[in-house]
Amino acid sequence: MYEGIVQDLIDELGRLPGVGPKSAQRIAFHLLSADPVDVRRLAQVLVEVKERVRFCSVCGNVAEEETCRICRDPRRDPSVLCVVEESKDVVAIERTREFRGRYHVLGGAISPIEGIGPDELRIRELMTRLADGAVTEVILATDPNLEGEATATYLTRLLKPMGLRVTRLASGLPVGGDLEYADEVTLGRAFEGRRAVDD
Amino acid sequence: MHVVRLSLHDFRSYAEAEVALEPGVTSFVGRNGQGKTNLVEAVDYIARLSSHRVSSDAPLVRHGADQAVVRAAVVRDGREALLEIEINPGRSNRARINRAPLPRAREMLGLVRTVLFSPEDLTLVKGDPSDRRRFLDDLLVLRAPRYAGVRADYDRVLRQRNALLKNARDRGGRRGPDEHFDSTLEVWNQQLATLGAELLTARLVLVDDLGPLVGRAYEAVAQTKNWASRDDANLEYRASFELPETRDRVVVRDALLAELERRKADEVQRGVSLVGPHRDELYLGLGPLPVKGYASHGESWSFALALRLASYDLLRSEGDDPILILDDVFAELDTERRERLAELVAGAEQVLVTAAVAADVPAALRGRRVDVVDGKVAARAD
C-alpha cells in the first residue's frame, strides 16, 4: 500500500477495463514522473470528454453535437441502415470504407443475465427511425456470439413484417487465413453460408 | 496412443517432476498422499482439459504458484508430438503443440484420449442424473471435440434463458410481465432448441452405440455363477419430454420448440427452464429393474466398470487406442472383479495404474513398477 493519494490513483486506474493492479501501479508512477504539463492535458481531456461528448440523438453513436458526423453527412445513403452493438463497431466498419449508409447503435446486446432486455437497448428509437419508410435495407451487424445472434433474431422478427430487406453480416473464414487452422464452428458457419461462384 | 514422457511444473504437489513412460502397463505405487494420483490426473488433464477430481482449475496449481504447466510427449500413429498446457486459474489456459501455440486451448481436446477409472465412478450408478449426463457429454467430447463448444454454448443459453424466466417471475407479481417478454423468450427458445437438439441427438446416437458395448462389458465383468447377475445390462436415454423416434436434428429441434411453448406457463411460474437436455436422464437397467435402488454394491460396481470399459471399446473402435488410467480402483473391488478387470484391460496399448498397496494390483497388471514417495518418482529396476 502506498500513502494516501498515490494509492487512490492506483485504485482509480485499476478500475479501468484491461488494467490490472500491476499495470495500474506502472501507469501511476509514470504519471508521477511525467511533465506536469502533460498530466494537466490528460486531466483536461478526461474532464472535457465527459462534458462535451454525448450520444447522437439519431443513431446513438458518440458525437460532439446534437447529431454525429455520419448522420449529418448528406452524401451518406439514407436507404441503408447498419445496426451495431457499440460505437466502436461503427469505427471498425468505417475503416473498411465499404459501407456508405448510416448506422444505428443499440448500446449492447440482449442479455438477461446482465439485465439487458429490448427496453435497455435503443430499439424503440430504431423503430421510430424506420417509420417514415426511407430505409429499405437493414443490415444486422451484431457480434457473432450467442447474445449478438439472439439480438439479431429478435430484430429480424420485428423488422421482417415491416416489408424491409433484412440482412445479416456473413460469418466464416478470415481473409488471408489457412483453412486448416480454422476452428470447427467457424468452418461450419462458412459451409452453411457458402455461395455459388459466378462465371 | 501412449505417453512416453510426462513433465510437471507446479502441478498439484509437484514443484517439478519428470517421468519416463513406456507402452504397456505401468503401476505407480506409494502410500496415500504421496502424489500418485496427481501424475495420472495430469495425463487425463491433457486429454480432457479438466480434472476428474475437481471442477475448477485452481486446486491443480501448487500452493503459492500462479500457474501450472503439464507437458506430455505423446506417440500417436507412430509419431511423437509434444503437448503442453499452461494452467492459469481465473485466466485462459494456453496450449502448445510441438512448441507452436494454439489459438485456443480448447483445440487440444481430442488429440489425446483417455479413459479413466476411479473410485468416484460409483456415482455414475448411484449419483444424480447430472453425473450420468456429464459422463455422456465427456465421452461425446472425446468422440468429437466439436461438442465441447456445443455444450458450453448450450450452458450459456440456458443461463440466459433462466435469468429471463426468473426476472419474469419476480416482476410478475408487482408490475405484470414485461411487454417484450414473449418475443424475447421466443428468441432464447430458438437458441435453446437449436443447440439442445444438437446435443440431444448426439447423446442419442452415443447411447445407441454404447448400449450393446455396455451389455457385453457387464457380462465380462460380472460373470459369476450367481443366478441373480444373469440379467442383461441395458441403457436407455430418457428425455425430459416426449421425443420422436428419430435421430434427425431438425425434427428434434421442432419437438423441443413445441414443448417449450407448451410448458411456458409452468416455466414462468417456476422461473427456470424445465425442458431440454439439461433435464434428461440416462437410465441404467439390469434386466427389467433399474440399477439404482435395486442392484447390490457389487453389481453397481460392475455396472460402473462396464460403462468405462464400453467407453474404451467405443473410442478404440473409432480411432487410436485411448490411454487407460486405473486410479486407485483395485482397493474398491473384490478379488474376482479385480482379476476380471485386469484381464480385460491388460492388452491395451498403455495402462497407467495407481495403488497404495502393490498387492492390490492383480498379477496381470503388475507391469513396470514406479514408486512414488513424498513427491519423488523412481522407477524400480526389477
Side-chain angles (χ1 to χ4, degrees):
Chain A
M1 286 294 269
Y2 294 90
E3 272 177 48
I5 188 136
V6 179
Q7 188 59 44
D8 289 349
L9 176 60
I10 295 173
D11 290 347
E12 287 301 328
L13 290 169
R15 267 196 267 279
L16 301 174
V19 181
K22 288 240 172 79
S23 305
Q25 189 178 320
R26 198 161 67 229
I27 298 169
F29 279 96
H30 170 81
L31 292 172
L32 282 178
S33 62
D35 190 332
V37 179
D38 290 338
V39 180
R40 190 169 297 277
R41 196 170 53 238
L42 174 65
Q44 196 72 39
V45 172
L46 285 176
V47 173
E48 265 179 49
V49 85
K50 231 20 215 176
E51 280 170 359
R52 291 210 341 238
V53 173
R54 36 191 183 171
F55 296 95
C56 171
S57 61
V58 179
C59 73
N61 194 7
V62 286
E64 279 193 35
E65 294 170 39
E66 176 65 19
T67 54
C68 74
R69 194 173 40 78
I70 298 170
C71 287
R72 286 197 309 269
D73 188 344
R75 292 164 303 174
R76 306 292 292 215
D77 181 352
S79 68
V80 195
L81 195 65
C82 181
V83 177
V84 295
E85 291 182 19
E86 309 282 355
S87 290
K88 56 183 195 286
D89 302 328
V90 172
V91 178
I93 296 173
E94 280 299 285
R95 271 203 305 267
T96 68
R97 296 174 187 279
E98 291 286 337
F99 179 66
R100 299 303 304 161
R102 294 207 166 103
Y103 294 92
H104 191 83
V105 182
L106 293 172
I110 295 179
S111 174
I113 294 175
E114 294 161 272
I116 301 175
D119 270 339
E120 280 69 38
L121 302 174
R122 301 183 67 258
I123 291 177
R124 192 168 297 126
E125 288 85 342
L126 174 65
M127 302 312 280
T128 316
R129 258 183 107 174
L130 296 174
D132 67 0
V135 174
T136 54
E137 178 180 356
V138 175
I139 303 171
L140 300 175
T142 51
D143 290 344
N145 55 27
L146 291 171
E147 290 76 18
E149 292 295 346
T151 311
T153 312
Y154 180 84
L155 290 174
T156 308
R157 289 170 173 227
L158 220 52
L159 302 177
K160 274 276 183 193
M162 299 170 71
L164 290 161
R165 181 172 136 87
V166 181
T167 54
R168 176 95 175 99
L169 282 194
S171 55
L173 297 172
V175 175
D178 277 321
L179 198 70
E180 60 172 312
Y181 294 127
D183 70 280
E184 66 285 350
V185 179
T186 307
L187 204 48
R189 289 271 193 91
F191 260 96
E192 262 171 34
R194 70 186 185 278
R195 56 193 164 79
V197 179
D198 298 327
D199 290 325
Chain B
M1 66 183 73
H2 61 272
V3 177
V4 287
R5 216 166 46 251
L6 177 70
S7 70
L8 309 179
H9 178 75
D10 286 334
F11 183 84
R12 289 277 193 187
S13 56
Y14 293 96
E16 214 61 64
E18 187 85 29
V19 188
L21 294 166
E22 289 166 14
V25 182
T26 303
S27 31
F28 298 96
V29 179
R31 283 186 295 117
N32 290 325
Q34 307 291 308
K36 307 177 299 284
T37 295
N38 299 347
L39 293 174
V40 294
E41 184 182 30
V43 175
D44 192 50
Y45 192 92
I46 284 271
R48 303 193 301 119
L49 301 183
S50 74
S51 156
H52 70 292
R53 295 203 287 176
V54 285
S55 55
S56 82
D57 280 348
L60 302 178
V61 178
R62 195 169 67 96
H63 186 72
D66 44 73
Q67 60 164 220
V69 181
V70 177
R71 287 189 190 89
V74 178
V75 175
R76 311 163 60 220
D77 301 321
R79 285 176 40 162
E80 189 175 317
L82 180 67
L83 308 184
E84 289 171 82
I85 180 96
E86 195 182 288
I87 305 167
N88 302 311
R91 286 176 297 135
S92 47
N93 293 348
R94 285 203 297 210
R96 297 199 295 173
I97 297 178
N98 293 329
R99 311 261 174 223
L102 294 177
R104 284 176 313 170
R106 210 169 79 189
E107 285 173 35
M108 201 150 88
L109 278 172
L111 292 178
V112 174
R113 302 192 299 171
T114 53
V115 174
L116 181 136
F117 294 70
S118 75
E120 288 85 14
D121 285 352
L122 201 55
T123 59
L124 292 179
V125 177
K126 297 196 163 179
D128 297 331
S130 64
D131 293 312
R132 287 177 286 281
R133 288 194 295 266
R134 194 175 320 120
F135 163 77
L136 287 179
D137 291 347
D138 283 349
L139 187 55
L140 210 53
V141 170
L142 284 183
R143 208 180 182 194
R146 185 173 85 77
Y147 285 101
V150 176
R151 185 182 179 181
D153 283 355
Y154 182 79
D155 287 344
R156 178 144 186 97
V157 167
L158 193 62
R159 283 211 308 279
Q160 289 283 19
R161 191 171 182 275
N162 283 345
L164 184 68
L165 288 169
K166 193 169 171 300
N167 272 344
R169 185 193 61 179
D170 293 350
R171 56 184 291 167
R174 285 168 288 139
R175 285 174 286 172
D178 181 342
E179 55 173 318
H180 301 298
F181 173 72
D182 287 341
S183 48
T184 317
L185 185 67
E186 265 175 45
V187 168
W188 292 109
N189 284 359
Q190 198 73 43
Q191 300 249 36
L192 184 117
T194 307
L195 288 160
E198 203 171 345
L199 190 59
L200 220 159
T201 43
R203 282 188 193 166
L204 288 170
V205 171
L206 177 63
V207 173
D208 288 345
D209 296 344
L210 201 61
L213 298 174
V214 170
R216 240 175 292 152
Y218 184 84
E219 226 177 272
V221 178
Q223 193 185 68
T224 62
K225 286 162 193 71
N226 182 357
W227 57 272
S229 32
R230 298 270 35 147
D231 284 327
D232 283 347
N234 50 76
L235 304 183
E236 192 189 310
Y237 191 83
R238 293 191 172 165
S240 48
F241 64 105
E242 201 161 330
L243 205 57
E245 235 349 279
T246 175
R247 303 293 178 257
D248 185 316
R249 209 184 283 167
V250 178
V251 177
V252 173
R253 187 197 65 196
D254 293 346
L256 190 46
L257 262 181
E259 184 69 10
L260 286 169
E261 198 52 50
R262 202 178 68 80
R263 299 284 298 275
K264 184 172 155 189
D266 214 4
E267 291 194 316
V268 172
Q269 201 193 347
R270 307 218 354 222
V272 66
S273 298
L274 298 172
V275 201
H278 67 288
R279 301 283 284 206
D280 296 353
E281 163 73 304
L282 176 66
Y283 166 87
L284 312 177
L286 266 182
L289 295 175
V291 174
K292 207 176 172 179
Y294 287 88
S296 69
H297 186 71
E299 285 171 326
S300 300
W301 256 117
S302 295
F303 212 113
L305 294 176
L307 287 171
R308 293 294 183 200
L309 284 168
S311 310
Y312 172 71
D313 289 337
L314 180 72
L315 293 175
R316 191 170 51 165
S317 72
E318 292 173 349
D320 234 2
D321 227 17
I323 297 166
L324 268 177
I325 301 174
L326 305 178
D327 182 23
D328 263 333
V329 275
F330 291 112
E332 305 281 330
L333 305 176
D334 57 37
T335 324
E336 280 187 60
R337 283 190 181 82
R338 269 184 207 173
E339 296 295 338
R340 269 192 301 274
L341 177 61
E343 280 163 34
L344 289 167
V345 302
E349 183 174 336
Q350 187 168 46
V351 187
L352 306 176
V353 182
T354 71
V357 185
D360 279 352
V361 183
L365 279 183
R366 283 285 148 76
R368 205 170 70 100
R369 175 165 163 188
V370 174
D371 287 326
V372 183
V373 180
D374 204 14
K376 304 255 179 324
V377 187
R380 198 180 255 208
D382 56 1

